[in-house]
């Protein structure tokens, strides 16, 4: 694969990852409105486990909005953190080889989601199916990062090869 094609694949994948992080982040801002809409549309039967859980979450969010809306400031910071994390990937977008450590860091973050979800989930009384949903973000996220890491290593090899004198190629 040519250097240009590798760089293009890396950049497209990084842009995709950035967009997913941004989307994930901005959905934290309107949590009250999102849940209200979801409950009003009655997508999930209240008799189902998922429907019961969503309704319980909705009641908590609704009560918090009515009595302690300032707590949603934490959601604002959560959303902001996603946006800031997305900005970190600008480094590997511009220079993947030099900034490959960011991909390694992101893969470690994906792996770290799993123990956090299980530990915090059990402490907070989160149902196990929701913990698995949270874990899926790390599990799914690590795959495109792993592919990008492989491509960066290939790109690095093409750059090192071109820097060698002709007699060594």
């Amino acid at each position: 694969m040519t250097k240009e094609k590798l760089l293009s694949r890396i950049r497209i994948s990084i842009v995709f990852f950035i967009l997913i992080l941004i989307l994930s982040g901005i959905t934290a801002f309107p949590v009250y409105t999102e849940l209200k809409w979801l409950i009003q549309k009655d997508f999930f039967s209240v008799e189902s486990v998922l429907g019961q859980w969503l309704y319980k979450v909705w009641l908590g969010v609704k009560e918090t909005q009515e009595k302690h809306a300032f707590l949603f400031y934490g959601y604002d910071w959560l959303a902001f953190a996603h946006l800031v994390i997305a900005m970190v990937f600008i480094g590997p977008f511009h220079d993947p080889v030099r900034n490959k450590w960011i991909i390694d860091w992101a893969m470690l973050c994906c792996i770290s989601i799993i123990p956090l979800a299980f530990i915090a989930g059990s402490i907070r009384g989160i149902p196990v199916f929701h913990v698995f949903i949270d874990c899926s973000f790390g599990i799914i996220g690590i795959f495109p990062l792993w592919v990008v890491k492989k491509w960066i290593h290939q790109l690095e090899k093409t750059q090192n090869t071109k820097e060698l004198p002709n007699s060594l190629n």
Side-chain angles (χ1 to χ4, degrees):
M1 189 176 319
T2 66
K3 176 183 174 181
E4 292 75 22
K5 192 165 190 156
L6 276 170
L7 190 56
S8 176
R9 284 184 177 186
I10 291 166
R11 287 183 171 162
I12 289 168
S13 298
I14 288 172
V15 166
F16 173 75
F17 206 79
I18 288 170
L19 292 174
I20 295 302
L21 277 167
I22 290 170
L23 180 63
S24 179
I26 61 175
T27 59
F29 284 119
V31 69
Y32 174 83
T33 308
E34 288 170 339
L35 275 171
K36 182 178 179 182
W37 179 82
L38 196 60
I39 294 298
Q40 286 176 341
K41 294 296 180 188
D42 202 23
F43 285 118
F44 303 98
S45 169
V46 181
E47 287 86 39
S48 72
V49 173
L50 181 58
Q52 289 173 8
W53 171 245
L54 284 174
Y55 190 71
K56 181 178 180 176
V57 171
W58 162 243
L59 290 177
V61 166
K62 184 176 180 253
E63 183 178 326
T64 302
Q65 174 69 23
E66 292 168 353
K67 297 180 181 177
H68 310 288
F70 62 89
L71 289 175
F72 287 109
Y73 190 55
Y75 277 81
D76 299 337
W77 280 104
L78 171 68
F80 178 72
H82 278 79
L83 301 177
V84 170
I85 292 167
M87 286 188 281
V88 170
F89 288 91
I90 294 170
F93 178 86
H94 285 295
D95 190 343
V97 173
R98 183 175 176 208
N99 294 296
K100 64 186 175 184
W101 67 271
I102 293 172
I103 304 302
D104 292 332
W105 167 80
M107 291 173 71
L108 286 171
C109 290
C110 287
I111 292 167
S112 300
I113 288 171
I114 296 167
L116 174 72
F118 277 100
I119 293 167
S122 67
I123 291 170
R124 304 286 184 210
I126 306 300
V128 72
F129 73 84
H130 193 151
V131 170
F132 283 125
I133 291 169
D134 292 338
C135 289
S136 73
F137 287 98
I139 294 167
I140 293 168
I142 203 164
F143 287 111
L145 292 169
W146 179 74
V147 171
V148 166
K149 182 178 177 161
K150 279 181 53 177
W151 289 338
I152 290 172
H153 285 300
Q154 289 176 354
L155 180 65
E156 189 172 28
K157 286 179 184 175
T158 66
Q159 290 176 345
N160 290 339
T161 303
K162 290 183 180 182
E163 292 172 7
L164 295 173
N166 287 338
S167 62
L168 297 176
N169 284 335

